[in-house]
Amino acid sequence: MKGLQARMNVDPDMEDWLERLTREGIAPPLNNSRKMGILHSIFHEHGPVGTDEAAEILLDAMGRAVEALVTVSKDMSPHTRAMARITVGLDSGFPYLKYVDGWRHGDDLVFDSGDAGTLAQVADTVQEFLMEREHHVWPVCTAHHVGLHSQISGADAVWYCKTGGHVWRIGRLLTDQPDP
């Protein structure tokens, strides 16, 4: 892990923790900045946890990703839902989104310590999947006919219309009126 501190701005305590994880059988993905970012977040949020607790934290992140995917799917019309065959998988213990046939769009790992952040990240990834794989813009503002964007507003993940400035909470696009 020589030079890791310089490349990732890793403090000595975290470098010791990564070396311990390696000795205990978890090989930190030193060549993957996204996965290292996740480990960095775990270390700074939870401290130098053992391999079992680190695995538990990653599984919890996977559970939040599954819940977020269910919430995002509530915003899909039957037509869009039929196209979006997206599921959550694990890659060396790290959760990611993929199509059921295994197709992945880039390094789409999902991790955020908050439910709203995870929900916004999953919504954004689903949008990218639909655009890349299906050439389908989703979701679209019914008033302005432009694509909506996921973001955090207060404590909620929302769909935001840049043209009209209104928002829907993610998971309620088909049932609620937009907030002005």
Side-chain angles (χ1 to χ4, degrees), residues 40-114:
H40 194 269
S41 295
I42 290 172
F43 180 80
H44 287 286
E45 187 172 328
H46 302 280
V49 298
T51 54
D52 289 345
E53 192 172 347
E56 212 172 286
I57 291 166
L58 289 168
L59 283 174
D60 181 58
M62 181 178 180
R64 284 195 315 276
V66 169
E67 289 173 13
L69 189 56
V70 168
T71 300
V72 169
S73 72
K74 292 177 185 177
D75 289 340
M76 294 180 177
S77 68
H79 171 72
T80 305
R81 193 174 295 121
M83 291 186 339
R85 293 175 177 85
I86 300 169
T87 186
V88 178
L90 283 177
D91 179 4
S92 302
F94 292 83
Y96 67 95
L97 294 181
K98 66 177 182 172
Y99 262 73
V100 292
D101 65 4
W103 182 82
R104 289 172 67 172
H105 172 72
D107 191 18
D108 51 9
L109 295 167
V110 199
F111 182 87
D112 192 287
S113 59

Side-chain angles (χ1 to χ4, degrees), residues 3-157:
L4 179 62
Q5 278 181 261
R7 288 193 315 271
M8 296 289 300
N9 194 23
V10 175
D11 63 45
D13 290 337
M14 183 173 171
E15 191 165 1
D16 290 344
W17 177 64
L18 291 172
E19 288 175 4
R20 183 169 52 96
L21 289 180
T22 301
R23 285 192 307 274
E24 293 176 5
I26 292 181
L30 302 177
N31 62 343
N32 185 309
S33 62
R34 184 81 186 258
K35 289 180 182 178
M36 282 302 297
I38 291 169
L39 290 174
H40 194 269
S41 295
I42 290 172
F43 180 80
H44 287 286
E45 187 172 328
H46 302 280
V49 298
T51 54
D52 289 345
E53 192 172 347
E56 212 172 286
I57 291 166
L58 289 168
L59 283 174
D60 181 58
M62 181 178 180
R64 284 195 315 276
V66 169
E67 289 173 13
L69 189 56
V70 168
T71 300
V72 169
S73 72
K74 292 177 185 177
D75 289 340
M76 294 180 177
S77 68
H79 171 72
T80 305
R81 193 174 295 121
M83 291 186 339
R85 293 175 177 85
I86 300 169
T87 186
V88 178
L90 283 177
D91 179 4
S92 302
F94 292 83
Y96 67 95
L97 294 181
K98 66 177 182 172
Y99 262 73
V100 292
D101 65 4
W103 182 82
R104 289 172 67 172
H105 172 72
D107 191 18
D108 51 9
L109 295 167
V110 199
F111 182 87
D112 192 287
S113 59
D115 291 337
T118 298
L119 183 53
Q121 191 174 20
V122 168
D124 187 57
T125 302
V126 169
Q127 281 185 301
E128 289 176 12
F129 274 33
L130 288 172
M131 178 55 79
E132 183 75 22
R133 184 76 185 258
E134 309 290 345
H135 309 289
H136 181 73
V137 175
W138 174 87
V140 174
C141 176
T142 55
H144 300 101
H145 307 289
V146 297
L148 300 173
H149 302 273
S150 66
Q151 67 180 40
I152 303 295
S153 177
D156 295 319

